[in-house]
Amino acid sequence: MLINKIITRAAGASLAAISLLSAQPLRAQAASDSARIEKLERAVELLQKQNAELKAEVKSLKSKDTASVSDAKFKTKVTYDGKTYVEKAVPEEKPPVYVQQRGPELKLVLGGYVQINFEDGDVSAFEGRFGQTALKDRFRLRRARINLTGDFAEQFDFKVEGDFENSDGINSNRTAFSGTDIFVNWHQFAEANIKAGQWKAPFGLEQLTPDPSLIIIERSLPTGAITPERQIGVQLWGKPFANIWPDGKDFLTYYAGIFNGNGRNTTVNDNNNFMYVGRLESTLFQGVFGKDSYLKLGADVLNSRDDKGTNISQTLNLLVNSDGSLSPFVLPGADERTAWSVDAWLKMGPFDLIGEYLQGHVRGRTVNGVPPGFADFTTNGFYITAAYFLIPKKLQVAVQWQDLNPGQMGNDGIHSITGGLNYYIHGDDLKLMVDYIHTWSDFREANPEFGQDDFDEVIGRVQVMF
């Protein structure tokens, strides 16, 4: 293109010079023939000089173009100058790389987060992992999740999330990618949303608190032992005052769900019965004692009839072993379980106070003449967490007391106290955490022949959200 412009410019200059010469008025009698010849000779000499310079410039530009596109791919381009069609080879341009949604979503967001732990001492002793179930010091990829969320104009939203650090089901020491939250939610009416898919059943404040927002690195043992975690099902939920009282829309939120009851990423239900879960939440006040202040209360209830082989402590441990340690409770026979909990969260500026009490009843069922194979029991537990920002929005100190009574043996309680420090480099998006945990075992204290009855652990975490 540049070469064509130069040639055009040269031709134009030549025509202009000739035009100027031809436009000079004829002075047949005033100017002699020799004067006119002299002027023409000077004009021709000037044109020859300009032509030589332009040829040299064109030759130089051609050599540069050849060097720059020698390795490029070419395509044929046809142009029309008004008189003739010109065909020439031009370098093929690479199209830009981009990602575009396939459907008509109004919003599509890609995100995720990574949590990396260092665990030293009596690793996870607060979860009942000591003695038979003790773990060694370790670096641990705690979570590595990627998610996609979106909204449709037709009042639907969705989320698809997976975790690279879930157990792969082949070896308890290995992980693989599997689904966490996979659901579609219809939100036409704020008072009555309908949600279907897989997500956390609405039970337990600490369980429902997003992983990146936790004040203490790991959830408490009572939460892991009693709450149902993620399930597959359908749920009706909403905020009854969203439209009639917009400023008080959070005064009441309800959840009512029906689930298979045997965990996530399963293709079958363990029987023809379902798990029924309900939760009520109420924000009694917000912003009364400053912008960052509120009081939230909550209550939950659950009922499920499970068959043999179902794990009823899906995220942590509940079964008491012979040495007082805990492991996941996989039912040896059928059961019916009922659970309930109450919780509260008070926030006043830099100060947080959180508490929750949970209780579960597990009763054996005889099915087709087969006894359950275990005695009925009642499990209960609680935790209290307090936290304060020493440096606003940056440095936070936290303490937690937790207590679980598995209810399967005499004096089988486990208690822990945790002290933590959190540094928010960029909010929850980039956060450093460190916790010290001291744990006591009532069973070990009452039965010293099994070994030590108190344990210590240090956990550090780096968290990155994107």
Side-chain angles (χ1 to χ4, degrees):
M1 182 64 70
L2 183 59
I3 294 172
N4 290 338
K5 287 182 178 179
I6 292 170
I7 294 172
T8 303
R9 189 178 67 189
S14 301
L15 290 172
I18 294 171
S19 299
L20 287 172
L21 289 173
S22 63
Q24 297 295 324
L26 298 175
R27 300 181 181 90
Q29 297 179 1
S32 63
D33 292 339
S34 60
R36 293 203 310 271
I37 292 172
E38 185 179 349
K39 287 181 180 180
L40 287 171
E41 287 177 348
R42 285 200 303 268
V44 170
E45 184 180 351
L46 178 62
L47 289 173
Q48 288 176 341
K49 183 179 179 181
Q50 289 180 346
N51 190 40
E53 291 175 353
L54 289 171
K55 283 184 176 180
E57 188 175 353
V58 169
K59 183 178 180 181
S60 175
L61 290 172
K62 282 185 175 180
S63 63
K64 288 182 180 179
D65 286 348
T66 303
S68 63
V69 300
S70 59
D71 296 330
K73 293 182 178 180
F74 290 85
K75 64 179 181 180
T76 300
K77 183 177 181 180
V78 178
T79 60
Y80 181 64
D81 61 3
K83 294 182 179 181
T84 59
Y85 289 94
V86 180
E87 185 178 286
K88 61 180 179 178
V90 295
E92 186 175 302
E93 296 181 358
K94 292 183 178 180
V97 178
Y98 65 95
V99 177
Q100 182 177 352
Q101 68 264 38
R102 179 182 179 275
E105 298 89 347
L106 289 177
K107 183 178 73 173
L108 196 62
V109 179
L110 178 65
Y113 60 93
V114 177
Q115 295 175 334
I116 304 171
N117 284 9
F118 172 68
E119 303 172 4
D120 183 65
D122 300 306
V123 175
S124 296
F126 73 96
E127 298 175 348
R129 300 181 190 275
F130 49 80
Q132 295 180 20
T133 58
L135 298 174
K136 307 255 187 329
D137 299 345
R138 60 183 176 179
F139 289 98
R140 183 184 185 191
L141 280 172
R142 183 63 178 89
R143 296 178 181 91
R145 295 186 181 175
I146 187 167
N147 58 62
L148 189 68
T149 59
D151 281 291
F152 288 89
E154 294 79 8
Q155 306 300 321
F156 282 89
D157 61 87
F158 68 89
K159 180 178 182 180
V160 178
E161 181 183 74
D163 194 342
F164 290 92
E165 289 305 307
N166 281 328
S167 173
D168 65 1
I170 300 173
N171 185 311
S172 60
N173 297 322
R174 285 176 46 180
T175 60
F177 185 82
S178 63
T180 52
D181 292 331
I182 305 172
F183 63 79
V184 176
N185 182 66
W186 181 63
H187 57 257
Q188 174 71 49
F189 305 105
E191 298 85 352
N193 286 231
I194 299 176
K195 190 175 183 179
Q198 174 178 284
W199 69 96
K200 287 188 175 182
F203 191 101
L205 172 63
E206 190 180 35
Q207 184 63 264
L208 297 176
T209 301
D211 301 309
S213 302
L214 293 172
I215 295 174
I216 301 297
I217 291 179
E218 297 291 350
R219 290 183 174 87
S220 66
L221 178 57
T223 291
I226 299 174
T227 62
E229 215 253 350
R230 286 179 171 85
Q231 304 288 335
I232 300 173
V234 64
Q235 173 179 282
L236 176 68
W237 71 280
K239 297 176 182 292
F241 299 105
N243 289 310
I244 62 176
W245 185 21
D247 292 340
K249 64 179 181 178
D250 294 326
F251 180 74
L252 181 64
T253 306
Y254 72 91
Y255 307 84
I258 304 175
F259 305 91
N260 286 340
N262 58 337
R264 59 183 174 182
N265 300 319
T266 59
T267 58
V268 297
N269 192 0
D270 58 324
N271 54 30
N272 291 322
N273 299 305
F274 295 100
M275 173 188 287
Y276 302 91
V277 186
R279 176 173 173 82
L280 291 176
E281 293 178 348
S282 178
T283 301
L284 295 185
F285 68 78
Q286 191 167 6
V288 175
F289 301 100
K291 182 179 179 181
D292 295 327
S293 65
Y294 54 76
L295 174 61
K296 296 180 179 180
L297 303 179
D300 316 284
V301 65
L302 173 155
N303 179 264
S304 182
R305 293 165 67 89
D306 312 297
D307 273 9
K308 177 181 179 180
T310 300
N311 182 0
I312 61 173
S313 58
Q314 292 164 5
T315 57
L316 283 183
N317 303 310
L318 178 59
L319 178 66
V320 181
N321 299 313
S322 59
D323 65 346
S325 63
L326 301 182
S327 57
F329 200 117
V330 178
L331 290 171
D335 84 325
E336 180 172 2
R337 54 182 165 134
T338 303
W340 61 273
S341 74
V342 291
D343 56 75
W345 188 329
L346 173 65
K347 182 175 180 63
M348 298 184 67
F351 176 71
D352 289 89
L353 181 63
I354 309 167
E356 185 171 9
Y357 176 85
L358 308 97
Q359 186 172 108
H361 306 276
V362 182
R363 297 181 293 274
R365 290 189 300 123
T366 298
V367 178
N368 297 325
V370 179
F374 65 93
D376 298 352
F377 65 93
T378 297
T379 298
N380 57 69
F382 70 92
Y383 68 86
I384 299 175
T385 303
Y388 185 83
F389 275 98
L390 300 175
I391 301 175
K393 307 296 184 182
K394 283 294 181 182
L395 186 62
Q396 182 184 46
V397 61
V399 62
Q400 181 186 79
W401 173 267
Q402 58 171 289
D403 182 286
L404 177 71
N405 171 31
Q408 299 160 44
M409 296 184 180
N411 296 320
D412 57 3
I414 295 179
H415 327 279
S416 298
I417 186 169
T418 301
L421 199 64
N422 306 322
Y423 182 56
Y424 297 80
I425 300 173
H426 189 73
D428 287 328
D429 291 348
L430 185 57
K431 181 167 68 173
L432 304 178
M433 309 175 74
V434 60
D435 287 350
Y436 165 75
I437 309 170
H438 184 75
T439 302
W440 297 268
S441 166
D442 289 344
F443 183 88
R444 286 292 189 96
E445 184 179 7
N447 300 274
E449 66 271 18
F450 289 106
Q452 69 181 102
D453 57 27
D454 62 334
F455 311 90
D456 298 280
E457 180 187 8
V458 174
I459 306 178
R461 170 173 290 177
V462 178
Q463 173 176 295
V464 178
M465 295 182 66
F466 56 89

